[in-house]
Structures are given as structure tokens and as C-alpha cells.
Amino acid sequence: MTENTVAAISTPKGEGAISVIRISGEDAIKIADKCFMPLGSKKLSDLSGYSAAYGKAVKGDGARIDEAVALVFRAPKSYTGEDVVEISVHGGAVSARECLKAVFEAGALPAGAGEFTKRAFLNGKIDLSEAESVMEIIGAKNEAALSLAECAREGKIGRDIEKITERLLYTAASLAAYSDFPDEDIEGLDEESFTSMLSECENKLVRLLSTFESGQAVLAGVPTAIVGKPNVGKSTLMNMLSREERSIVTEHAGTTRDIVETQVNVGTVTLILSDTAGIHDTDNEVEHIGVDRAVKKLKTSSLVLALFDMSRPLDAEDKKVIDLCKGKKCIAVLNKSDLPLKADVSAFRDFNTVTVSAKNSEGMDELSAKIEEICGAGSLTGSDTVLINERQYSCALRAQKAISEAKEALISGITLDAVTVLIDDAVNALSELSGKRASESVIDEVFKNFCIGK
Ligand code: GDP
């Protein structure tokens, strides 16, 4: 158990129906008793866990702050695993701040970023991947993201990692038995069976790693650039996808001179969308900067929507865009399908293509389906475990590489001790993923991005 009792406002800033002040730690209930006066005769310290009391939040001298409800949770049955009191007062900056001030004066210390969740982790209520999922739940950009984060919150990642770890430990133990008694013919213990046990673990990790990119498309969003020469309909498409007037649309070329960004949900995928300046040759200094930025955006984005006006023959500027898109994850969006076709479609034979009329909103379903297909989110099944951030991914990758090396070592006849060391490396990487053996700096890094009060 941690020693200090900490407190923070756990609801967002601003006006709202209620604000919640959360207090956690050994003295949480004692401290809350000094700041909460119940209407009935029972103090909070007289209540059992999972109880609520109605009354008022008060200052140290008994002066009323606001009408309040207090919830009492007793260790270990609380979010943090410690005694917790949550005092709800009316929403708005002053009432909650005054109540928190009273709680501090009564002896609580300010909670750090993510401290409640960190305590839940340190007290063994949740593993590190579950703690991380809390951040994803709070920041979920769409229903699919929420559903992935909820799976992680329920411990799905931790359970899958645990199973692989158990199998690895069993393999290491079997290897030890085999190397201690090499002449005894123990059934199921030979190099072939060790290799197959390791392959089984490796395959599970390979599957887990393969869903990461699709998961990130859902959870973090895909940085996407809309590019093309001037006047092909980039801003119209941007507005159509975001269902609002984010970019100015005129018949004059070069209206968008800098990058306009917005976030849109396309099916299960969230796009972090950038409308860029039209790519073309120009002597105008300002336009030139805009074009440079557009090219840079195209190169750094994970997905490119390259637009072409199909009602005109393709020219050198379109060809430049085609060349820039080579090797990128890209969809050629063939626009202005409401007008007679004048462009040569065969120029896009190496591209994924979708024909649309951005102006009339035609072809948008096909474009959405193509985006989902390309970003891979459609390939996620409900039963897939998805690693939710880079930290988890790099741990799983380290484990997979160590297993792969262990297999090679077995096959090439290296000493069994060396194989065991590699299996240990894999187990350590997985323990770091779940937080069982994560260093203090790793844990600090995880919680530093949390908000105060969570
Ligand atoms: P940008 O310079 O590439 O951003 O192009 P805009 O979105 O500003 O569009 C340039 C012009 O093309 C505007 O007059 C739009 O109304 C028009 N436009 C855009 N999409 C279409 C389309 O699908 N069909 C037709 N006929 N015109 C379009």
C-alpha cells in the first residue's frame, strides 16, 4: 500500500451538473469526515464499503461549501485498491475547487497525473495494459476504438500474454529436465517438440503483432493527406468527409495555401485528415511554401488520398502527383464523375482507385470501404487481441524475436543453456508488457500522459 492519501477533482473543468472530488489512501475516510457533514447521524467512518451518504461539503470551521453526496469504498474493493471517498458537489469551478481545498487542509496531498490508476496498478488491481486501456477509453474517437479499449480494460491482453508466458516457462522447464537427463527417453521431450512449442508461442505473437497497425488506425487515427494539383476538388472532398465547411471552396485555383486539418471517422477508421495546397509550379513565394508543405505532408502521411479532375486530360502536374505517390499507401480518387470523362484512366493502373463526384457526394461509400480495406481495420475480428500502443508493440516484438532466435539456436545445435537464456529474454519482454517486471521509469512513462484525477 502507498502511504500518502491523495485527492484531485476527477471530472473535467467547466460547468456541469456535478463535479467529483476523489480521495484515496489510508486516511481517505478520516479526511473526508472532516470535510463532509452527513444529514443523518452516521459519519462516513461508520459506513461500510459501497455506501452513499447525503449531506454537505464543509470547510474546516464547519462553514458550508455546497450540498454533496459522498460515496465510500473500502480497501481493497475500490478503483485504487485503497480506501476511497468520492464527494460529488455541484459542477462548476468554484464549488469543486473549494471542496478540494478543504480536503487538502484536512490532510490529503494533491494527486499526480494518473495517480489513482497508478495506485490501482501498484496495488495489483490491474496490470499495466489494463491501466493503459483507461487512457484509450477516455480518448476513444469512435465506437470501434471504445470497443477495442474495453477489451483491453477487461484484461484480454494480459490474459493472452500470460498464456504465452506460461507456455514459454513450461518449455524452459522441459528443456532443463531434458538437459539434466539427456539419456533418459522422456516422452514428448525432444528437440522437435521444443521447436514446436516455441513455434506455437511465436505464431501467437506474430498474430498479435499483425493486428497492431489496424488497431492503431482505429485507436490513434491514420494521418492522411489529401493531395492533388489546384482545383481538382481537394477542399470539396475534405468538406464532404468532415461534413462541415473546414476548407474554403471556390472555382479559383490556389484557394487553400496552407494545410487545413480535421479529424473524421470513416467507418471504423479515424482519419487525421490534412487538406493541402495544390501541387503545381509557381513563382509566388507564399504559394511555393504551401506546395513544399503539401509535398512534405504527402511524404510523411500514412495514407494519401490523391485527387484528380477526370473531366480534363491529365497534365504534367497530375503526373508529378502520380510520381510522388508511388510507393505510398495511396488511393487515387478520380473526381468529377458527374462531368464527361476526358482523362486517361490507364494512368492509374498501379493504384487503388475510387471514382467519385465530391461535389454531389457520389462514390463516398465506395471511398469509405476502400479506406477501411486499405487501413486494415475491416480485417479485425471481434476475438482479436489488439496491442494498444507502441510500448506494448515493442515488448511483444522483442519477445517474438527472442523466441525466433531460440528456435534457430535449437535447430543449429547450440547449447541448451543458450536457448534457455533466449527464452528468458522473451519472458522478460512479456513481463514488461504486462507490467509484472516493468522498471520504475517505464511505469512513470506510462502514467505521465494521464490526466490529473484519473
Ligand atoms: P481544390 O483546389 O483541389 O481544393 O478544389 P476545390 O475543392 O476548391 O474545387 C474546385 C472547383 O471544383 C470548385 O468550383 C468545386 O465546386 C468544383 N468541384 C469539386 N468537386 C467537384 C465535382 O465532383 N464535380 C464538379 N462538377 N465540380 C467539382
Side-chain angles (χ1 to χ4, degrees), residues 38-58:
L39 189 69
S41 55
K42 278 191 176 176
K43 292 194 300 187
L44 297 180
S45 44
D46 297 328
L47 301 180
S48 52
Y50 298 135
S51 300
Y54 171 70
K56 58 187 176 183
V58 292

Side-chain angles (χ1 to χ4, degrees), residues 229-237 248-251 254 256 275 335-339 356-360:
K229 71 174 186 186
N231 252 355
V232 288
K234 296 182 295 299
S235 299
T236 309
L237 181 76
I248 304 163
V249 175
T250 71
E251 68 274 21
T256 308
D275 181 13
N335 193 27
K336 308 201 184 181
S337 63
D338 53 298
L339 300 175
V356 304
S357 166
K359 192 174 176 180
N360 298 341

Side-chain angles (χ1 to χ4, degrees), residues 10 22 79 112-118 134 138 450-454:
S10 284
R22 185 187 263 167
Y79 182 68
E115 182 150 5
F116 297 109
T117 309
K118 188 175 180 179
V134 173
I138 294 171
F450 273 62
C451 44
I452 304 265
K454 187 65 235 168

Side-chain angles (χ1 to χ4, degrees), residues 1-5 24-26 82 115 118-119 122-123:
M1 285 276 176
T2 40
E3 287 160 15
N4 299 331
T5 297
S24 179
E26 229 170 307
E82 304 170 334
E115 182 150 5
K118 188 175 180 179
R119 286 179 176 221
L122 294 174
N123 291 327

